Amino acid sequence: MADISKIQNGEAMTLREQIGLTARLALPAILAQLSSIMMQYIDASMVGRLGADQSASVGLMSSSLWLFWGVCSMITMGFSVQVAHAIGARRYDRARGVLRQGITSSLAAAIVITLVGLAIAPFLPGWLGGDDSITGNATLYFGVFIVALPVLTMNYLAGGMLRCAGNMKVPSL
């Protein structure tokens, strides 16, 4: 991308070049977000067909899952910002070092968060006011997601690092 090299070299860009670059960089991310939202609707409709108790189990645990996932994604985002700055400054050795730290730190945090999640999983539905008829399914749903959290975190970190390096297409896929 010639426009990115202009930014790295400190060259001036016309407004048209800036808008074009913004559109080319943003479009894959926008499409990825739209596909994510569509998948959430599909998931909700599939769970809804299973029955009221199953839907209630998923709904009860959603906010807790967002919290646990949010902490992991926040950690990976911090490393992504640092890598983007290093790449922008053409400090590739620094970017690689931050990437290594990001992998280690994000994976360690995700494992700790997973262990905390598994420890509280049997109690969480009750703490959230869930009825006895749904707590078993809610615990199972939460546990399955939490066990996958380290893998999801590494996937999110990898996608973020690719985007920082200017590759928007692969993470969008």
Side-chain angles (χ1 to χ4, degrees), residues 18-170:
Q18 291 174 9
I19 292 171
L21 177 61
T22 302
R24 283 196 310 277
L25 291 175
L27 186 62
I30 291 168
L31 293 175
Q33 286 300 313
L34 288 174
S35 69
S36 176
I37 291 167
M38 288 176 15
M39 287 304 298
Q40 289 175 11
Y41 280 118
I42 292 168
D43 286 348
S45 67
M46 289 173 61
V47 170
R49 300 195 108 204
L50 295 175
D53 285 349
Q54 289 77 12
S55 293
S57 297
V58 170
L60 179 65
M61 303 313 291
S62 292
S63 60
S64 299
L65 291 175
W66 291 339
L67 174 66
F68 278 73
W69 170 240
V71 172
C72 288
S73 63
M74 172 187 63
I75 293 167
T76 64
M77 190 60 61
F79 287 103
S80 296
V81 168
Q82 291 181 41
V83 167
H85 283 256
I87 289 173
R90 294 187 174 196
R91 295 183 60 201
Y92 302 114
D93 287 340
R94 168 108 172 102
R96 282 189 285 278
V98 172
L99 170 61
R100 284 190 294 274
Q101 292 172 357
I103 291 169
T104 304
S105 300
S106 297
L107 185 58
I111 289 170
V112 169
I113 290 167
T114 297
L115 294 174
V116 169
L118 288 174
I120 67 169
F123 311 105
L124 190 56
W127 294 342
L128 295 173
D131 187 69
D132 288 341
S133 64
I134 65 168
T135 57
N137 283 337
T139 297
L140 180 62
Y141 175 69
F142 183 79
V144 168
F145 183 88
I146 288 298
V147 167
L149 200 54
V151 175
L152 294 171
T153 301
M154 289 297 97
N155 181 51
Y156 195 70
L157 179 69
M161 294 301 166
L162 286 171
R163 284 188 289 277
C164 290
N167 185 340
M168 296 299 287
K169 292 179 183 173
V170 172

